[in-house]
Amino acid sequence: MGYGPIEIIVVVFEGYQFTGEILPELKRLVDTGTITIIDGVFVRKDADGSITSQELDELTDDQNARALIDVLERVDALVSDEDIAELANEMEPGTAAALLAFEHTWAKPFQAAIVASGGRLRANVRVPGSVADEVFAAITELDS
């Protein structure tokens, strides 16, 4: 069986404030087989605009960030230097960001069932939760 759908998310931390509070939930998602972290990088943009980045498996200086190594299944080099440069260009000075590439492991059996039934996935659209919240709030307001 091949890969399931792969998604890349970027989480920004103002003032480099990564507290590690996302780690228990990330670990739970990995431990339950919901997702598999396959690549990731931390990017930091200093106040002077200088950029530094580290692959997740290279983190050694921050205990919270280093804990991400425990949830890595593999590092497949999906995140390119161009991806890092594009992310850094969009970041504000004085921020840090974690870019995580993960496989939707939960979807692999469903994907296999689609193929076994003679079907093929034609489209896959992801709507961010914040966008869905805005749309449903607007609908509720219109219905009022």
Side-chain angles (χ1 to χ4, degrees), residues 32-135:
T32 60
T34 304
I35 64 171
T36 300
I37 305 295
I38 57 176
D39 201 358
V41 65
F42 269 109
V43 179
R44 181 178 170 145
K45 189 170 192 175
D46 291 329
D48 66 2
S50 62
I51 306 297
T52 55
S53 65
Q54 287 183 287
E55 293 284 335
L56 291 183
D57 59 345
E58 297 172 342
L59 298 173
T60 58
D61 57 345
D62 181 281
Q63 180 179 359
N64 290 322
R66 197 172 53 238
L68 279 173
I69 295 171
D70 294 338
V71 299
L72 279 171
E73 290 289 321
R74 56 189 178 269
V75 177
D76 286 342
L78 287 176
V79 180
S80 69
D81 290 340
E82 292 81 17
D83 295 328
I84 294 169
E86 183 178 327
L87 170 61
N89 187 49
E90 295 173 2
M91 292 172 60
E92 294 293 324
T95 60
L99 187 148
L100 297 174
F102 61 89
E103 174 188 19
H104 287 277
T105 315
W106 64 268
K108 289 171 77 169
F110 182 59
Q111 184 172 295
I114 290 170
V115 172
S117 72
R120 64 183 174 88
L121 184 62
R122 179 153 188 241
N124 181 13
V125 177
R126 178 163 296 270
V127 178
S130 60
V131 172
D133 290 342
E134 290 173 16
V135 169

